[in-house]
Amino acid sequence: MGLTKQYLAYKPVSSFNIIASARANISFVTISNATGRYVVVAAAEKVLVWDLRIGEKVAEFCRDKQEVTFLRTSPDQKHLAVGYSDGLVELFSVETKQSVCSFASHRSAVSALNFDLLGLKLVSGGLDNDLVVSDVVEQSGRCRLTGHTAPITQCCFMQRFQDVVVSSSKDTQIKFWNIETQCCFKTIVDHRTEVWGIVLMRNDDFLVCGTADTQLSVYKITPITDATVPVVVASEQPESESTVSPFRCTAAGSIQRAGHGRTINLVADANGQVLGCHGTDRQIELFLFCSPEESMKKLTKRMKKLDTNKQSAEESASRQLALTDEIKRLTSIPTPEKVKSFDLLLGSRNELRICCTFVKNFVQLFSLDLNVKKDAEPETLYALQKQGHPSEARTVAFSSDNLAIASGSAESLKLWSRASQTVLRTVDTGGYVVSTCFVPGDRHVLVGLKTGQLLVVDVVPGEVIECIEAHEKELWSIVLTPDKHGCVSGGGDTTVKFWSFELIAASGGQDAAKVLSLLHKNTLKLEETVLSVRISQNGKYIAVALLDTTVKIFFMDSLKFYLSLYGHKLPVVTMDISYDSTLIITGSADRTIKIWGMDFGDCHRSLLAHDNTVTAVQFIPNTHMFFSCAKDGKLKQWDADSFQKIITLPGHLGEAHALAISPNGKYVVSCGSDRTLRLFHRTEEPLVLQDVQEEEREELENATLATGEESTVPGLPGLKLPSKKTIGSEKGAENILECLEVSKQYEEEGGKGPLPPLMFAYSATNTDDFLLTVLSRIRASDLEESLLLLPFNAVCELLERVPKLTTERKDQTELICKVVLFLFRVHQKPIVNNQVLLPVIQKIVQTLQAAVGELRDMVGTNFHAAQMLQRELEENDGCVLFRDATKQRIQRDRRRKRREASKRKLLQIVK
């Protein structure tokens, strides 16, 4: 075997610059019993928890490379449900930051999530038009609700009516679903445009929905009881409605919003008292839903003003309550930018906190005191703004000591610490930054703007010390000369300009400290727009990439023409020259990278490197290896000698705009359209190209399921499982089949020989334990899909083992019941028609019923024994173990109100 070249692996360190993604929502979260201080936001594929008081990141939840699309915290604040763009819902523990379980629910991105009142069930809506109800305790899907014909915009559980889900969609409909029957029992079709959001207010008394117009529709929900007299309306059928629906939903009116454009978001606090909404303008409108007592007071006051008899007012109160009596408009909150999402939190002292995310990558927390009756002014408490660029970073550069990173965006330049990934300086450039470069000594940064200006930025004070009108159009490229005494800039005005560094005296006179300045030395005029400039390390040549798809190389000293590199079909966007000045690489908009020789200008190899425009290429210092990034979001490492791809790094979710490699070659940083800066470092782990290629091939194979996307069973065309087929379910089915095969072979040999290696690996001593271990190791959300993939002969073999399993392993009764019931439901017809399975089924029914009865008896005995012990302890100690905290709070509130009333009376007497 010949010698192979060894490469060292680059691994991701972290991603930074992003404060909050614009696609997902924001939510308050309680950590260490602190409420209203922490918020959880999405940051590309991560979920971050920010402490707004100190402005720092305190926690991070990670999964693989999928964008976060929706967040929701559980009512007890112990779990966080995260929906992703691939349709998967992950449930994290807030305390441990680890994943508790995952639900493969949807075939496309998750667009809505909500817990029920106790946090035991989770409903999710997706862009695939479906709703999926999942059981958090069982960690598996419960049912799939299909009926909407457009993506789901919002879904939630009703509190007063058990197992009822309300959903809204872009198909203009609002549907009410019963989880038990898995059907829609009521549909509201009053709207002509998309319903963008719904929210239930005041313990399910009201349903508010927002559409594409400037009004919020309000529906009154009243329970249907035997005493309720149905009101006959021409457009309704109360007889049929009362038999199916447990409540009546009638239009109560509409709320006119002050803002313009469609309603984007509707959010209510946990108790359903305060409603917040925002449209396409820069304000959040707030409405307070009064309690029934306050509404009655407002009604009687209104009736008094109309000179109506008090008695008649009280008699007709229930019929004449208007929306103006029940809903009060609060002070609107003006925002600095268009709101992307927000969340509300109503404190115990009637302080309303509103936390907002904006498109420009910042978070702001507002406070509003509801105790102030009139003209309550909102107050800005905290803002997270300096931790990232307001817009996408377009260029990055490393300092010569490898410790600092400079990144430029549409309005600013930021300097970052490479070690901690925190912001060191923020400089307002006043223009769009398209190129950056550190000056030798790392005290200054050169910044090229889209307007053609060249800025000299002093790092220490973080100020622009000089602005030079370098070019008439975009300044696309800045590069230092090899002797470090000057720089060269290339612009859209078809010129390449040569500059030298000079220290000039400041305005304070001769004794003042000298500042850096640039002196224009020479200009190279060309025929086309200059897109990139590079100088060879030996100082002999200067290469210029032009808009006419060619790269022209000139002698550095005389600026005479030397070579022309042509072969790209589209313009060359980026290029670099190796440390020994022998190779030049060019990246083009035609998706290819070409490797050329500097001596004769011959093309050594053309690589179809990416799926979109190549945006940056750069050699690793002192090597012939280089990195490239493109608009497909990927970062790739290449070898320019062997023309092989070494590795593909986890890149950006959108486009990758630029990359920079540290002078020591240990670090790589890139920026992209997902607003993240991603840092990678070189490890000491060696790479074998064959192994890397094999891993990439396996990833591609795993991305496409071997058994197809559809979960269909012959004879059951309408099977709607609350899960989708995943790689985990396919592996689970393979493990079950392998287990049955190994067990059958072992039993045929008499079961006396040495244990099969697979059984030994599962630490099983017999075939029954082996089967139960395999079944229990399949993820709960994948179990049904795995059983669905089994052929019928394997199902029969599995059912034949159930009676023995039930009698010998009563600790696994729940798992066995789940497997048997699902197989009976799916394969009912073949099982009924198979006479051989008849005695097996009879035995299964007998043993399972006995096992379930025994389990229920044990649970009931333990429950009542615990109750009896509780009563005995309470009698002996004379105290209540679990007292009702709400009663104590009500009594405390009453005492406080009495004290306040007595204080008011005393004040009146003194006066």
Side-chain angles (χ1 to χ4, degrees):
M1 180 179 174
L3 290 173
T4 58
K5 192 171 183 179
Q6 191 182 59
Y7 304 99
L8 296 178
Y10 280 83
K11 293 291 176 70
V13 177
S14 68
S15 61
F16 50 102
N17 177 60
I18 187 165
I19 300 172
S21 292
R23 184 172 182 183
N25 62 319
I26 186 172
S27 178
F28 281 102
V29 65
T30 302
I31 296 177
S32 304
N33 296 324
T35 307
R37 177 177 173 179
Y38 301 95
V39 291
V40 58
V41 297
E45 75 279 2
K46 293 181 180 179
V47 176
L48 306 179
V49 179
W50 289 97
D51 186 342
L52 294 176
R53 185 176 295 176
I54 60 176
E56 289 184 2
K57 181 175 67 177
V58 295
E60 194 175 278
F61 302 90
C62 298
R63 193 185 151 239
D64 54 359
K65 291 289 293 185
Q66 293 294 336
E67 188 178 6
V68 177
T69 56
F70 208 87
L71 302 166
R72 185 70 70 192
T73 51
S74 62
D76 59 2
Q77 300 291 315
K78 290 183 178 179
H79 293 98
L80 175 67
V82 182
Y84 292 90
S85 58
D86 61 348
L88 194 133
V89 178
E90 196 92 20
L91 199 65
F92 292 96
S93 169
V94 175
E95 185 180 355
T96 62
K97 316 295 182 297
Q98 299 297 319
S99 173
V100 177
C101 63
S102 59
F103 306 103
S105 303
H106 299 276
R107 292 179 293 277
S108 56
V110 177
S111 58
L113 280 172
N114 245 317
F115 284 92
D116 68 344
L117 186 60
L118 299 175
L120 302 179
K121 290 192 285 287
L122 177 69
V123 61
S124 60
L127 300 182
D128 57 357
N129 312 346
D130 289 350
L131 294 161
V132 175
V133 179
S134 305
D135 195 318
V136 175
V137 179
E138 195 181 354
Q139 297 186 3
S140 64
R142 188 167 173 183
C143 62
R144 182 181 293 272
L145 308 173
T146 56
H148 283 292
T149 57
I152 308 295
T153 54
Q154 190 56 272
C155 56
C156 57
F157 284 95
M158 296 190 79
Q159 296 181 6
R160 272 198 295 175
F161 305 97
Q162 195 175 5
D163 289 342
V164 176
V165 171
V166 193
S167 65
S168 64
S169 169
K170 289 184 181 180
D171 61 4
T172 74
Q173 296 179 356
I174 300 171
K175 289 182 179 288
F176 295 83
W177 308 82
N178 190 324
I179 299 175
E180 292 298 325
T181 59
Q182 300 184 20
C183 66
C184 170
F185 62 85
K186 189 174 184 63
T187 304
I188 298 175
V189 290
D190 296 350
H191 306 98
R192 295 184 178 181
T193 55
E194 298 95 341
V195 180
W196 290 100
I198 55 169
V199 68
L200 291 163
M201 302 299 297
R202 212 177 75 183
N203 195 19
D204 295 349
D205 281 344
F206 294 97
L207 173 70
V208 184
C209 58
T211 56
D213 54 18
T214 58
Q215 290 184 340
L216 302 178
S217 303
V218 183
Y219 293 88
K220 180 92 172 172
I221 297 174
T222 53
I224 295 176
T225 58
D226 295 335
T228 306
V229 179
V231 181
V232 179
V233 184
S235 61
E236 295 181 351
Q237 295 179 350
E239 293 81 12
S240 61
E241 183 186 36
S242 62
T243 56
V244 177
S245 173
F247 53 84
R248 182 175 288 109
C249 186
T250 54
S254 60
I255 306 171
Q256 181 63 45
R257 286 176 40 238
H260 302 290
R262 72 171 179 90
T263 304
I264 294 178
N265 223 341
L266 284 178
V267 178
D269 68 314
N271 297 323
Q273 288 179 268
V274 182
L275 169 68
C277 70
H278 73 90
T280 54
D281 51 356
R282 300 182 180 185
Q283 66 171 336
I284 296 174
E285 297 177 61
L286 299 171
F287 304 93
L288 177 67
F289 280 71
C290 304
S291 62
E293 295 80 13
E294 293 173 350
S295 301
M296 292 296 294
K297 287 180 183 177
K298 290 179 75 175
L299 174 66
T300 51
K301 191 182 291 185
R302 182 166 60 89
M303 299 299 279
K304 281 180 184 178
K305 287 182 181 178
L306 295 172
D307 295 330
T308 311
N309 190 6
K310 292 182 182 179
Q311 293 182 353
S312 62
E314 290 173 0
E315 289 173 0
S316 60
S318 60
R319 290 175 295 172
Q320 293 189 3
L321 271 173
L323 279 183
T324 52
D325 300 324
E326 305 199 74
I327 302 174
K328 176 185 174 185
R329 187 184 292 269
L330 299 176
T331 307
S332 295
I333 297 177
T335 57
E337 293 290 337
K338 288 184 180 179
V339 181
K340 193 62 188 175
S341 72
F342 73 101
D343 196 19
L344 298 175
L345 186 67
L346 185 60
S348 57
R349 297 179 182 177
N350 268 2
E351 182 198 2
L352 184 67
R353 289 198 170 187
I354 305 102
C355 196
C356 312
T357 62
F358 302 89
V359 179
K360 289 197 171 179
N361 192 30
F362 69 99
V363 176
Q364 206 159 352
L365 180 67
F366 301 94
S367 175
L368 185 68
D369 191 359
L370 299 186
N371 290 321
V372 181
K373 297 296 181 184
K374 289 184 179 179
D375 301 328
E377 286 297 324
E379 178 188 358
T380 303
L381 294 182
Y382 308 108
L384 296 175
Q385 207 162 4
K386 296 181 180 178
Q387 289 84 348
H389 284 286
S391 57
E392 299 172 11
R394 285 284 173 176
T395 174
V396 285
F398 257 107
S399 61
S400 61
D401 57 3
N402 315 295
L403 295 177
I405 300 168
S407 63
S409 67
E411 60 285 300
S412 62
L413 174 81
K414 283 187 182 288
L415 295 164
W416 306 81
S417 166
R418 190 261 308 156
S420 61
Q421 293 93 48
T422 55
V423 180
L424 302 174
R425 296 283 187 277
T426 300
V427 183
D428 187 11
T429 57
Y432 201 113
V433 180
V434 291
S435 55
T436 52
C437 177
F438 272 93
V439 176
D442 299 331
R443 172 73 187 265
H444 300 85
V445 180
L446 300 179
V447 179
L449 302 184
K450 213 168 186 178
T451 56
Q453 294 174 324
L454 180 60
L455 307 181
V456 182
V457 176
D458 194 336
V459 170
V460 178
E463 295 175 352
V464 177
I465 58 175
E466 189 176 3
C467 178
I468 303 167
E469 298 291 337
H471 294 269
E472 295 175 4
K473 291 184 179 179
E474 301 91 347
L475 202 162
W476 288 120
S477 185
I478 307 172
V479 62
L480 295 176
T481 55
D483 58 5
K484 310 296 184 187
H485 291 163
C487 65
V488 178
S489 64
D493 57 355
T494 71
T495 60
V496 175
K497 294 190 177 181
F498 298 80
W499 311 82
S500 64
F501 297 133
E502 283 203 351
L503 290 172
I504 61 172
S507 57
Q510 294 182 352
D511 298 333
K514 293 186 176 181
V515 295
L516 182 75
S517 181
L518 295 181
L519 179 66
H520 182 223
K521 291 176 61 180
N522 204 352
T523 301
L524 175 63
K525 183 70 178 175
L526 296 154
E527 298 82 17
E528 292 284 343
T529 297
V530 177
L531 297 179
S532 183
V533 177
R534 287 293 179 270
I535 302 173
S536 62
Q537 285 298 312
N538 56 12
K540 205 172 179 184
Y541 307 109
I542 177 170
V544 183
L546 303 177
L547 194 63
D548 62 358
T549 74
T550 63
V551 176
K552 288 185 165 48
I553 302 176
F554 301 88
F555 288 103
M556 187 69 181
D557 49 1
S558 61
L559 298 183
K560 286 186 177 179
F561 178 74
Y562 171 54
L563 285 174
S564 180
L565 311 177
Y566 54 89
H568 284 289
K569 296 177 182 177
L570 290 172
V572 174
V573 179
T574 178
M575 61 182 178
D576 198 19
I577 300 174
S578 63
Y579 73 102
D580 54 3
S581 305
T582 58
L583 295 177
I584 179 171
I585 49 173
T586 56
S588 168
D590 62 4
R591 306 177 294 172
T592 62
I593 293 174
K594 292 184 186 290
I595 303 170
W596 315 77
M598 286 288 286
D599 44 5
F600 300 108
D602 55 327
C603 181
H604 292 182
R605 185 64 62 94
S606 180
L607 305 170
L608 184 59
H610 291 272
D611 299 330
N612 210 326
T613 301
V614 180
T615 52
V617 290
Q618 188 174 345
F619 274 106
I620 300 173
N622 302 319
T623 68
H624 278 183
M625 292 181 289
F626 64 92
F627 275 94
S628 68
C629 68
K631 286 188 178 179
D632 59 2
K634 295 176 182 175
L635 263 76
K636 296 184 180 181
Q637 185 184 0
W638 305 83
D639 191 335
D641 292 330
S642 61
F643 316 120
Q644 285 184 313
K645 185 186 74 174
I646 300 170
I647 194 171
T648 302
L649 296 175
H652 296 266
L653 296 177
E655 300 176 356
H657 294 319
L659 66 84
I661 301 175
S662 62
N664 61 6
K666 288 185 178 180
Y667 298 95
V668 180
V669 67
S670 65
C671 60
S673 62
D674 57 0
R675 296 175 186 256
T676 59
L677 296 177
R678 298 180 185 267
L679 182 65
F680 306 87
H681 76 110
R682 188 174 67 205
T683 63
E684 297 303 317
E685 176 188 340
L687 274 181
V688 180
L689 288 184
Q690 288 81 1
D691 294 348
V692 174
Q693 291 166 2
E694 186 64 31
E695 286 175 10
E696 290 181 359
R697 201 176 301 117
E698 284 180 6
E699 283 181 12
L700 283 174
E701 290 175 359
N702 289 340
T704 55
L705 297 175
T707 55
E709 297 289 337
E710 292 297 321
S711 301
T712 55
V713 175
L716 283 174
L719 188 66
K720 295 185 296 182
L721 290 180
S723 58
K724 68 174 183 179
K725 196 183 297 181
T726 60
I727 299 163
S729 59
E730 286 189 344
K731 288 181 179 177
E734 288 176 9
N735 291 339
I736 295 172
L737 290 172
E738 201 170 13
C739 169
L740 293 173
E741 186 180 347
V742 170
S743 301
K744 186 178 180 181
Q745 187 177 355
Y746 182 63
E747 286 170 354
E748 285 176 355
E749 293 173 358
K752 295 179 182 179
L755 286 175
L758 193 62
M759 195 183 295
F760 184 76
Y762 277 94
S763 303
T765 54
N766 53 54
T767 54
D768 296 335
D769 290 346
F770 183 28
L771 179 58
L772 280 175
T773 307
V774 169
L775 288 172
S776 60
R777 288 196 180 188
I778 299 173
R779 198 167 59 182
S781 57
D782 287 336
L783 181 60
E784 290 187 353
E785 291 284 352
S786 298
L787 295 172
L788 200 63
L789 290 170
L790 296 178
F792 186 66
N793 59 346
V795 171
C796 297
E797 196 174 336
L798 185 58
L799 290 175
E800 288 171 0
R801 295 177 179 273
V802 167
K804 188 181 175 185
L805 287 176
T806 310
T807 53
E808 292 187 0
R809 293 295 301 272
K810 294 187 177 178
D811 58 320
Q812 296 286 351
T813 303
E814 187 182 351
L815 176 63
I816 296 168
C817 280
K818 191 189 294 186
V819 171
V820 169
L821 288 173
F822 180 76
L823 291 178
F824 277 2
R825 192 169 85 243
V826 172
H827 300 283
Q828 182 194 4
K829 291 181 181 178
I831 288 173
V832 169
N833 293 328
N834 194 335
Q835 295 296 324
V836 181
L837 282 178
L838 187 59
V840 176
I841 293 170
Q842 291 173 346
K843 203 168 182 181
I844 287 173
V845 172
Q846 183 182 353
T847 53
L848 267 183
Q849 281 181 347
V852 171
E854 190 176 336
L855 188 63
R856 288 176 64 187
D857 291 342
M858 183 180 69
V859 172
T861 304
N862 291 339
F863 176 67
H864 288 287
Q867 282 187 330
M868 187 185 72
L869 288 172
Q870 179 186 343
R871 285 195 299 271
E872 288 181 0
L873 284 170
E874 289 175 356
E875 288 173 4
N876 294 335
D877 299 342
C879 66
V880 182
L881 284 179
F882 304 102
R883 66 177 183 274
D884 193 351
T886 55
K887 291 180 180 178
Q888 190 178 0
R889 193 180 72 180
I890 291 168
Q891 291 174 357
R892 194 168 61 245
D893 290 344
R894 282 177 184 168
R895 286 197 297 269
R896 182 174 56 81
K897 286 179 181 177
R898 273 199 227 96
R899 285 197 303 270
E900 289 176 357
S902 62
K903 286 178 184 177
R904 283 197 296 269
K905 288 175 185 176
L906 287 169
L907 286 170
Q908 287 172 1
I909 291 167
V910 172
K911 186 178 179 182

